[in-house]
Amino acid sequence: EAQVTQNPRYLITVTGKKLTVTCSQNMNHEYMSWYRQDPGLGLRQIYYSMNVEVTDKGDVPEGYKVSRKEKRNFPLILESPSPNQTSLYFCASSRATSYEQYFGPGTRLTVT
Amino acid sequence: GQQVMQIPQYQHVQEGEDFTTYCNSSTTLSNIQWYKQRPGGHPVFLIQLVKSGEVKKQKRLTFQFGEAKKNSSLHITATQTTDVGTYFCAGAYNQGGKLIFGQGTELSVKP
């Protein structure tokens, strides 16, 4: 089954404790992206990757890091999480020539 | 910077009424996509519009892309309770990977 998976689905952590949210897709997609969703603000792009070893900033990259060492994986790293990073996070993927994005189920992160 | 404004933020309709949501970009788009997100779910792709003035239909849903490629609309005819959810537009500005989402329109349908 074609899908995008994210782990963990829920996470409660404390300020400053490094964490990684994993994202994996099995569709051989070149393009992958991370978004955060906050009430009233819609989806805001954090980082995206056009292919392996190619990443670029979206609209709200501050406080986040990403890497794309393999085509199928695109982890999101929060080196020192802060409460303003409490949000619902979505990973998405698509073919390079098409922007039809497939979204993962989401990760709800709470930073206290 | 590039922005996509979407209105209205909320729309409550009686089942059978029509619904329209509008997106407007500050600059010309290369394409625009529409997504639907059910409560508690993830966004699901509906359609992509690429050409100036393009109109596409999916059953009761009609999507339009403006002549100047700066605005778009989604119209649902005769809403049903299954249409409940939040509808997002997402604009792409070049052939790169940056995508700007509108704030979304939350649709509720009263039976």
Side-chain angles (χ1 to χ4, degrees):
Chain A
E1 180 192 354
Q3 60 181 351
V4 178
T5 56
Q6 293 179 228
N7 282 292
R9 294 288 313 281
Y10 303 90
L11 179 60
I12 300 174
T13 189
V14 296
T15 299
K17 187 176 181 181
K18 181 179 179 180
L19 67 93
T20 299
V21 184
T22 64
C23 173
S24 183
Q25 50 94 4
N26 63 0
M27 294 168 280
N28 202 35
H29 284 166
E30 280 83 10
Y31 178 92
M32 297 186 75
S33 183
W34 275 103
Y35 299 90
R36 60 177 290 174
Q37 185 172 28
D38 303 288
L41 297 177
L43 290 143
R44 293 181 293 168
Q45 193 173 43
I46 303 170
Y47 269 96
Y48 62 92
S49 169
M50 298 291 281
N51 214 323
V52 175
E53 302 290 3
V54 180
T55 63
D56 211 342
K57 295 177 181 178
D59 258 5
V60 289
E62 295 78 20
Y64 304 95
K65 283 176 58 177
V66 292
S67 68
R68 187 90 182 273
K69 293 183 169 54
E70 306 165 286
K71 199 172 187 179
R72 63 183 295 127
N73 297 321
F74 191 44
L76 179 69
I77 303 154
L78 284 73
E79 295 268 2
S80 183
S82 62
N84 64 14
Q85 292 178 298
T86 292
S87 188
L88 177 59
Y89 291 86
F90 287 103
C91 179
S93 74
S94 68
R95 292 180 296 160
T97 55
S98 165
Y99 288 101
E100 174 185 348
Q101 294 193 82
Y102 294 81
F103 281 78
T107 295
R108 187 165 292 282
L109 172 66
T110 302
V111 184
T112 61
Chain B
Q2 294 146 343
Q3 284 188 79
V4 175
M5 303 300 293
Q6 187 173 357
I7 58 169
Q9 190 173 359
Y10 302 98
Q11 186 80 57
H12 309 285
V13 300
Q14 194 78 31
E15 189 173 20
E17 292 181 339
D18 291 357
F19 159 78
T20 305
T21 174
Y22 302 90
C23 282
N24 192 62
S25 169
S26 53
T27 53
T28 302
L29 297 161
S30 63
N31 67 71
I32 193 161
Q33 302 163 42
W34 285 91
Y35 291 82
K36 177 183 178 181
Q37 184 177 23
R38 293 184 189 276
H42 59 273
V44 174
F45 176 83
L46 294 176
I47 209 158
Q48 176 172 277
L49 304 170
V50 178
K51 299 176 185 175
S52 168
E54 191 168 15
V55 178
K56 287 189 176 180
K57 293 191 176 185
Q58 289 180 350
K59 297 183 181 178
R60 295 177 295 104
L61 278 61
T62 302
F63 303 85
Q64 294 190 347
F65 201 10
E67 293 290 342
K69 298 184 74 174
K70 286 187 174 183
N71 55 73
S72 182
S73 64
L74 158 59
H75 179 82
I76 302 179
T77 304
T79 54
Q80 301 174 358
T81 55
T82 52
D83 295 325
V84 164
T86 301
Y87 293 84
F88 292 98
C89 61
Y93 290 89
N94 49 43
Q95 295 308 307
K98 203 167 186 179
L99 206 59
I100 308 291
F101 276 76
Q103 297 89 339
T105 297
E106 184 180 337
L107 173 65
S108 64
V109 180
K110 189 174 181 181

